[in-house]
C-alpha cells in the first residue's frame, strides 16, 4: 500500500508552545511505514490558507493544522469539499475542535493519535458564507473574542481576565431567530451561541448535545442573569449542564436567520467579526473530512 502524503502546517506564533521542536517530534513519532510527511510554516495572516490550497492541488491525503482555533479554521475552510482530510495538533490557547475530537494536548501523543486515526466525514457551518467548524455567536462571547484578540496575555488566565473586564461593560441585546420550525423573539440576550460541536475551548461545554455528524446546530440562548448566579452558571458550563440553567433556552436548526436592531459583533471559532443586521447561519452536512478516531 502506498504511503499517505501528509503535510504539517505550523503556525509559529499561536498559543504558548515552543514550535521549533515540532518537526523533530513529528518525525520521531509519526508512523513512517504509513505516512510521507512534509512541513511548512506560516509567515503571515492568511498564509495557512494558501499553503493548504497548494497541498490540496498536489493531491495530499491529509493536511495537519499545528496551532490554535484560528489556524485550524484558516486551514479547514480551504479543505471543505475536497478529498484532503484535516488533521490537528493542538498548539493554541483554547483548542476547541481538538478537545472535542479528543486529540491529546501533548504533542507526541497527538502525533500518535494521527497514526491510529481514520478519515471520517463531518459537518461544518456557514455564517453569511464564512465557514466555521466549532461555534459562532453573538453577544457577550463575541465581545470577549474581540477583546481577547487585542490582548497580550494568552492562555486561560488571559481569557479569564478578559471575561471579567467585558462583563462590566456589556449591554444585553434583542434578537429575532427565524427557521423553518420557529420564529423566536429574544429580549435581553446576554449571549446567543450557534454550535456545530459541544464546546468552546478550555472544555467549556456551551452546547452539550451538539454533534458534528448530525447535520444540525444547537442554539444556546443565555438571557440576562443576576451577577450572584454567575458562579453556578460557570460550574454548569464546565459540568456539561448549562441547559439546566433557568436563564438558558436551547433550540436546534439546520438553517437560521438572525435579525438584530444594530450591526452586531459576532465571532466564528473565536475569531471576531462585524455582522449586518440580518445574517444567515446554516450547517453543511458531511462537507469536510476529518482525521479522528
Amino acid at each position: 500500500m502506498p504511503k499517505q502524503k501528509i503535510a504539517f502546517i505550523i503556525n509559529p506564533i499561536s498559543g504558548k508552545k515552543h514550535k521549533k521542536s515540532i518537526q523533530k517530534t513529528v518525525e520521531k513519532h509519526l508512523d513512517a511505514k504509513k505516512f510521507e510527511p512534509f512541513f511548512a510554516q506560516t509567515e503571515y495572516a492568511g498564509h495557512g490558507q494558501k499553503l493548504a490550497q497548494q497541498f490540496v492541488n498536489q493531491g495530499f491525503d491529509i493536511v495537519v493544522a499545528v496551532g490554535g482555533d484560528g489556524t485550524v479554521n484558516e486551514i479547514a475552510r480551504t479543505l471543505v469539499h475536497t478529498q484532503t482530510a484535516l488533521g490537528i495538533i493542538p498548539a493554541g490557547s483554547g483548542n476547541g475542535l481538538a478537545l472535542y475530537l479528543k486529540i491529546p494536548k501533548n504533542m507526541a501523543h497527538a502525533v500518535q493519535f494521527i497514526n491510529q486515526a481514520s478519515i471520517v466525514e463531518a459537518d461544518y457551518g456557514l455564517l453569511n458564507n464564512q465557514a466555521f467548524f466549532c461555534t459562532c455567536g453573538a453577544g457577550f462571547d463575541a465581545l470577549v473574542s474581540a477583546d481577547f484578540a487585542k490582548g497580550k496575555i494568552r492562555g486561560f488566565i488571559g481569557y479569564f481576565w478578559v471575561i471579567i473586564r467585558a462583563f462590566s461593560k456589556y449591554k444585553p441585546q434583542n434578537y429575532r431567530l427565524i427557521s423553518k420550525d420557529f420564529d423566536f423573539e429574544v429580549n435581553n440576550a446576554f449571549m446567543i451561541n450557534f454550535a456545530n460541536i459541544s464546546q468552546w475551548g478550555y472544555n467549556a461545554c456551551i452546547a452539550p448535545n451538539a454533534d458534528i455528524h448530525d447535520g444540525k446546530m444547537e442554539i444556546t440562548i443565555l438571557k440576562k442573569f443576576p451577577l450572584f448566579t454567575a458562579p453556578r452558571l460557570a460550574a454548569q458550563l464546565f459540568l456539561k449542564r448549562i441547559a439546566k440553567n433557568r436563564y438558558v433556552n436551547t433550540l436546534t436548526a439546520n438553517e437560521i436567520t438572525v435579525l438584530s436592531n444594530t450591526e452586531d459583533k459576532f465571532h466564528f471559532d473565536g475569531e471576531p467579526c462585524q455582522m449586518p443586521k440580518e445574517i444567515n447561519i446554516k450547517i453543511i452536512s458531511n462537507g469536510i473530512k476529518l482525521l479522528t478516531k
Side-chain angles (χ1 to χ4, degrees):
M1 180 179 292
K3 294 183 180 181
Q4 291 181 296
K5 293 174 67 176
I6 183 169
F8 295 82
I9 300 179
I10 303 166
N11 180 352
I13 62 173
S14 64
K16 301 168 69 175
K17 291 186 178 180
H18 191 57
K19 307 302 187 299
K20 291 184 179 179
S21 63
I22 289 176
Q23 183 168 338
K24 290 183 179 179
T25 301
V26 171
E27 290 173 338
K28 179 179 179 179
H29 294 280
L30 191 69
D31 187 344
K33 295 180 180 179
K34 187 175 182 180
F35 298 108
E36 181 181 4
F38 295 78
F39 299 89
Q41 185 167 294
T42 60
E43 299 175 358
Y44 52 84
H47 192 202
Q49 189 171 359
K50 292 183 179 181
L51 290 170
Q53 188 61 60
Q54 291 173 12
F55 290 125
V56 170
N57 294 343
Q58 294 168 16
F60 272 66
D61 300 288
I62 302 162
V63 171
V64 179
V66 185
D69 291 330
T71 303
V72 171
N73 180 285
E74 184 178 332
I75 292 170
R77 64 177 180 252
T78 310
L79 304 183
V80 298
H81 305 295
T82 73
Q83 294 304 307
T84 303
L86 171 72
I88 303 172
I89 291 180
S93 297
N95 303 313
L97 185 56
L99 287 171
Y100 176 79
L101 296 174
K102 294 181 171 50
I103 299 173
K105 291 183 180 180
N106 177 278
M107 193 163 293
H109 294 168
V111 178
Q112 292 163 3
F113 181 96
I114 290 172
N115 291 336
Q116 301 167 10
S118 302
I119 295 174
V120 300
E121 292 187 335
D123 306 337
Y124 72 95
L126 285 177
L127 167 64
N128 274 12
N129 296 316
Q130 170 65 59
F132 68 93
F133 302 88
C134 302
T135 70
C136 68
F140 182 74
D141 61 334
L143 176 62
V144 168
S145 295
D147 288 353
F148 185 68
K150 293 183 289 187
K152 295 182 180 180
I153 303 176
R154 313 311 291 170
F156 183 78
I157 296 299
Y159 197 76
F160 176 79
W161 283 114
V162 167
I163 289 174
I164 297 299
R165 291 194 298 268
F167 192 91
S168 63
K169 67 180 180 179
Y170 180 70
K171 296 181 180 180
Q173 304 293 323
N174 299 330
Y175 300 92
R176 183 180 174 190
L177 309 181
I178 305 171
S179 79
K180 64 178 183 179
D181 297 318
F182 55 79
D183 188 334
F184 197 77
E185 294 278 356
V186 184
N187 296 318
N188 288 320
F190 186 77
M191 178 197 73
I192 304 181
N193 187 81
F194 306 87
N196 185 43
I197 68 171
S198 60
Q199 66 168 275
W200 295 321
Y202 307 108
N203 283 316
C205 193
I206 186 62
N209 295 318
D211 184 344
I212 201 169
H213 302 292
D214 68 358
K216 299 176 183 178
M217 72 185 92
E218 184 175 348
I219 304 161
T220 302
I221 303 164
L222 175 60
K223 294 185 178 181
K224 183 179 179 181
F225 57 92
L227 180 59
F228 73 86
T229 67
R232 178 181 177 85
L233 180 65
Q236 290 173 323
L237 184 65
F238 286 97
L239 292 173
K240 302 182 180 181
R241 300 180 64 186
I242 189 72
K244 296 184 180 296
N245 190 280
R246 61 180 296 188
Y247 298 100
V248 169
N249 288 329
T250 59
L251 302 166
T252 58
N254 169 262
E255 183 171 0
I256 191 169
T257 298
V258 183
L259 305 177
S260 61
N261 295 327
T262 60
E263 294 187 356
D264 204 6
K265 281 187 173 65
F266 250 77
H267 79 87
F268 58 94
D269 292 348
E271 296 296 311
C273 59
Q274 196 76 18
M275 281 289 150
K277 295 179 181 180
E278 179 176 333
I279 66 170
N280 177 265
I281 305 171
K282 60 183 174 182
I283 298 296
I284 308 300
S285 296
N286 298 328
I288 186 168
K289 299 180 185 299
L290 293 180
L291 192 64
T292 185
K293 291 183 181 178

